[in-house]
Amino acid sequence: MPDQNSQLEEIRKLLDSQLEGVLASLHNQQPYTNLMTFAHTPDLKKLIIATKRNTQKFKNLQTNPQVSFLVDNRTNTPSDYQHATAISAIGKVVELEGEHYDIAKDMFLERLPQLRSFMHGENCTLMAISVDHYFLVSQFHDLKRLDMHSVKPLST
C-alpha cells in the first residue's frame, strides 16, 4: 500500500531526526509526562526507552503499561504551522529482559552513545513500547492514523 509506505517513511524520518520525545503515563489517574531519549526498531513497531527503576515513571508503567509517546520537530517559530510534524505513538510498554534487553541495549547505545554511563548505572532498565498505532499530524491540522498491526514487513 503506497500510502502506508509513505506514512512509514514520514514517521521514520521524524524519529531518526529527533533524540527526545515526551512519554505520557498515568499517576493516580492523572497524566504524568517525562522528556525521554529513545531508539526505535527498524520496523518502527517498538520504541525503546531507558529509565531508572526507582522513579515515579517506572512505578506508573508497572501499574498501567498503556502509554503515549510524542515526538515532534517544531522550532518554536511561526513556520511551524506549515512545516512542523508530530507523531503520537500509542501502545503498551514492557520491561525488557535477557536477549531482548541485550539487542535493545545495543540499538539504544548505537543511537545514544553519550548515555553509556547512565545505561550502566544502578537500577537502570530498558523498556519497549509496542506501538499499536501512530497518529501523524502535519501542517498543524492534517491528521493520519497508521495501525501498526496492519503494516506488512518490508521485503529485502
Side-chain angles (χ1 to χ4, degrees):
M1 170 186 271
D3 190 50
Q4 186 181 70
N5 287 338
S6 66
Q7 288 176 23
L8 281 170
E9 283 312 308
E10 197 169 352
I11 291 167
R12 180 183 316 284
K13 183 178 175 183
L14 182 59
L15 292 177
D16 286 346
S17 73
Q18 303 299 311
L19 297 176
E20 299 172 339
V22 178
L23 175 72
S25 61
L26 282 177
H27 175 65
N28 295 331
Q29 301 306 311
Q30 295 294 313
Y32 186 87
T33 56
N34 297 93
L35 190 61
M36 306 285 298
T37 55
F38 70 95
H40 61 83
T41 56
D43 64 5
L44 306 178
K45 291 187 177 190
K46 291 189 182 355
L47 301 177
I48 309 300
I49 57 174
T51 187
K52 300 285 187 178
R53 286 188 182 94
N54 59 351
T55 62
Q56 184 61 55
K57 163 189 359 140
F58 183 78
K59 291 174 193 164
N60 295 350
L61 298 174
Q62 294 296 299
T63 303
N64 183 345
Q66 293 298 132
V67 297
S68 176
F69 195 81
L70 174 76
V71 178
D72 69 69
N73 66 354
R74 68 194 134 131
T75 60
N76 206 28
T77 61
S79 68
D80 285 346
Y81 296 110
Q82 291 300 314
H83 303 292
T85 302
I87 58 167
S88 289
I90 310 299
K92 191 174 187 178
V93 68
V94 296
E95 184 174 7
L96 296 172
E97 298 176 336
E99 183 182 343
H100 297 289
Y101 178 91
D102 294 337
I103 292 167
K105 182 178 174 186
D106 290 345
M107 187 183 319
F108 190 85
L109 289 176
E110 182 177 328
R111 180 169 161 84
L112 299 153
Q114 65 274 25
L115 295 180
R116 188 168 301 282
S117 63
F118 176 79
M119 283 295 308
H120 290 108
E122 191 174 336
N123 290 319
C124 190
T125 190
L126 284 174
M127 304 189 88
I129 301 168
S130 293
V131 179
D132 292 323
H133 56 270
Y134 285 102
F135 288 109
L136 174 63
V137 180
S138 57
Q139 297 181 353
F140 193 62
H141 63 85
D142 184 21
L143 175 66
K144 298 173 189 149
R145 177 186 163 135
L146 181 60
D147 180 355
M148 293 305 287
H149 300 289
S150 68
V151 170
K152 306 275 188 271
L154 298 174
S155 26
T156 54

